[in-house]
Amino acid sequence: MYKKLIMKNNKNNLSRPDKHGYYGEFGGAYIPEMLFPNVEELQKKYKKITGENSFKKELSLLLKDFAGRPTPLFHAERLSKEFNTNIYLKREDLCHTGAHKINNTIGQVLLAERLGKKRIIAETGAGQHGVATATVCALRGLECIVFMGAKDIERQAPNVARMKMLGATVIPALSGSQTLKDATNEAIRDWINHPHNTHYIIGSVVGPHPYPDMVARFQSIISKEIRQQLLKETGDRCPSHVIACVGGGSNAAGAFYHFIEEKKVKLIAVEAAGMGLTSGKTAATTQLGTTGILHGSKSLLMQTADGQVTEPHSISAGLDYPGIGPLHANLFKQGRVLFKNATDEEALQAAFHLAKTEGIIPALETAHAFAVLKDISFKKNDRVVICLSGRGDKDLATYMTYL
Ligand SMILES: *Cc1c(COP(=O)(O)O)cnc(C)c1O
């Protein structure tokens, strides 16, 4: 009976969790007991603090003058002509530090300050979230510790150098596959050991409640701006389609957020198929995943029959994650969002094509969103918005091997 009520509640509002942090059957907070005080503090305070006028003012000023918002909504003429429709690019690549991630880190640092936390920890895979976190910590004079898989530290040297230059301490995670999920485990361990003075900034819409909701709200500025910009440009706030790539799902959550209840807007998420869905080297969670618990919440994840998390693969480090946030797991299950996928090869081709067609070099993650354009049939007067989540400077070493 109780469960049914929750389900019904969530059918009416797919963008927000119930008070226990569930989106339908997904979400919640599955954490070690030692973390209860920290997570409960966040659960109790995040809405109140972020709802205060002084918080909103400070956040919007930093988003404007430090991050560079609003980001443009760019009408991509040559791409539009090619697909015989109207394509608009939401230019998150023009944010300070080169991607949407800073929207969330600014918000969470302001929240940490109000919680009286002077020490910030974060996990990072490609280093984009680590750089965004180190950047805002430098701005506010906070101690910053970033956990990163030892293998990723080797692969992402420029971002490691950036974090260090910004004053952060980068700690290698030496366990397991020495990649993102191991760095996340190290960050959780550190939080357990420093419960009083430390805030853990999670970089996507994953983790225990309230993180998925909190991060989605901070990223929802993306769709808020799209509505205003599209209204001005076309007289209608709603696009026909919104397309975004999905790792944990934060840029997609931000780009979809204010359209989730607008049923006429088609929402399309693109996962990394890696070498192909059946290759065993993939990160297409909704296609291969089953329900389980990863990093503090119940969601879809890729795992073996006995519950071992499967090693994911994607050419883009930001999509190389074996799970997906609970918001997206529910949107997938309810059929509100269409989940497609693109292989490494398709993403590479899409990146080179966008560079030559529109003069924009996208991040490899972002390129996945462009790779599905060829598989969708658009009408002449459709208005298609693609979330251009980040720029490709960080991926030049990969792109260079294909030139
Ligand atoms: C980190 C990253 C992603 C993937 O993360 P989400 O939380 O799914 O958005 C996508 N694009 C870029 C540019 C990134 O840096």
Side-chain angles (χ1 to χ4, degrees):
M1 184 70 183
Y2 183 53
K3 196 161 180 196
K4 246 188 181 160
L5 272 176
I6 290 175
M7 296 288 285
K8 200 168 162 217
N9 182 30
N10 265 301
K11 272 226 164 100
N12 293 335
N13 190 341
L14 290 169
S15 55
R16 292 197 184 150
D18 65 35
K19 66 177 184 204
H20 304 291
Y22 281 89
Y23 301 87
E25 66 186 275
F26 303 109
Y30 297 81
I31 48 171
E33 213 173 316
M34 302 277 288
L35 283 182
F36 281 6
N38 290 41
V39 171
E40 269 174 3
E41 182 185 32
L42 274 179
Q43 287 175 356
K44 282 200 187 106
K45 295 185 178 165
Y46 82 107
K47 276 193 215 162
K48 181 171 179 294
I49 291 175
T50 56
E52 282 164 3
N53 275 336
S54 62
F55 182 95
K56 289 194 216 160
K57 253 193 200 154
E58 211 172 345
L59 177 63
S60 65
L61 194 68
L62 283 179
L63 287 175
K64 175 170 153 284
D65 293 339
F66 189 67
R69 304 206 72 89
T71 59
L73 184 69
F74 174 63
H75 183 228
E77 272 184 35
R78 296 187 65 206
L79 211 56
S80 296
K81 199 171 270 172
E82 182 183 340
F83 290 96
N84 197 24
T85 189
N86 305 288
I87 296 177
Y88 296 89
L89 309 181
K90 183 57 175 162
R91 299 290 310 273
E92 295 302 295
D93 61 316
L94 296 178
C95 285
H96 183 38
T97 69
H100 65 290
K101 295 222 167 59
I102 194 124
N103 303 326
N104 170 48
T105 48
I106 291 177
Q108 284 203 50
V109 162
L110 293 184
L111 178 70
E113 286 178 345
R114 282 158 173 82
L115 293 170
K117 315 275 182 186
K118 303 255 183 280
R119 183 174 177 272
I120 301 292
I121 58 170
E123 85 295 330
T124 197
Q128 290 303 102
H129 173 55
V131 168
T133 303
T135 297
V136 185
C137 286
L139 176 75
R140 307 300 278 199
L142 297 170
E143 185 183 358
C144 178
I145 293 128
V146 180
F147 295 91
M148 190 168 183
K151 205 188 255 169
D152 289 336
I153 288 182
E154 230 168 80
R155 291 193 288 192
Q156 311 288 335
N159 273 344
V160 175
R162 282 186 189 103
M163 286 183 263
K164 288 186 175 164
M165 186 162 175
L166 291 159
T169 306
V170 180
I171 299 184
L174 299 165
S175 60
S177 56
Q178 309 192 332
T179 58
L180 178 61
K181 70 173 170 38
D182 312 293
T184 305
N185 291 336
E186 293 296 327
I188 290 172
R189 207 163 299 152
D190 178 284
W191 207 22
I192 290 173
N193 291 327
H194 302 86
H196 299 298
N197 64 345
T198 298
H199 176 68
Y200 176 19
I201 301 191
I202 293 181
S204 190
V205 285
V206 299
H209 175 61
Y211 281 98
D213 185 43
M214 187 163 69
V215 177
R217 285 167 187 252
F218 286 139
Q219 292 294 358
S220 71
I221 182 80
I222 299 173
S223 49
K224 190 177 169 196
E225 287 176 4
I226 292 172
R227 286 170 77 87
Q228 293 162 352
Q229 291 165 325
L230 213 56
L231 178 67
K232 216 165 161 194
E233 172 108 8
T234 69
D236 186 345
R237 3 177 104 72
C238 285
S240 56
H241 304 69
V242 182
I243 306 175
C245 68
V246 175
S250 70
N251 87 89
F256 295 167
Y257 199 86
H258 292 286
F259 300 116
I260 289 174
E261 303 305 323
E262 308 262 16
K263 295 288 145 70
K264 65 181 178 204
V265 182
K266 295 192 181 79
L267 304 175
I268 298 160
V270 187
E271 294 180 309
M275 314 269 229
L277 288 183
T278 55
S279 66
K281 288 185 144 296
T282 179
T285 303
T286 59
Q287 303 308 305
L288 301 170
T290 48
T291 302
I293 289 163
L294 180 67
H295 297 141
S297 69
K298 187 189 275 187
S299 193
L300 292 172
L301 59 128
M302 300 193 304
Q303 57 189 334
T304 59
D306 57 350
Q308 293 279 4
V309 176
T310 314
E311 201 58 48
H313 166 82
S314 168
I315 192 168
S316 66
L319 305 187
D320 198 351
Y321 186 69
I324 186 172
L327 162 69
H328 290 294
N330 191 46
L331 291 170
F332 170 70
K333 201 108 191 205
Q334 303 288 341
R336 176 64 189 95
V337 173
L338 175 64
F339 277 75
K340 297 179 83 73
N341 54 78
T343 62
D344 292 351
E345 181 62 38
E346 289 172 314
L348 278 167
Q349 282 182 12
F352 281 98
H353 187 67
L354 182 67
K356 292 211 171 87
T357 312
E358 295 291 345
I360 299 169
I361 298 173
L364 267 168
E365 291 82 2
T366 313
H368 288 73
F370 287 83
V372 302
L373 282 175
K374 60 179 175 9
D375 307 324
I376 304 171
S377 55
F378 300 109
K379 295 199 196 81
K380 179 100 188 92
N381 56 358
D382 277 345
R383 295 173 311 279
V384 181
V385 173
I386 305 174
C387 186
L388 214 168
S389 59
R391 60 178 176 245
D393 311 35
K394 70 180 179 62
D395 297 313
L396 268 189
T398 305
Y399 289 146
M400 275 162 72
T401 62
Y402 295 91
L403 284 173

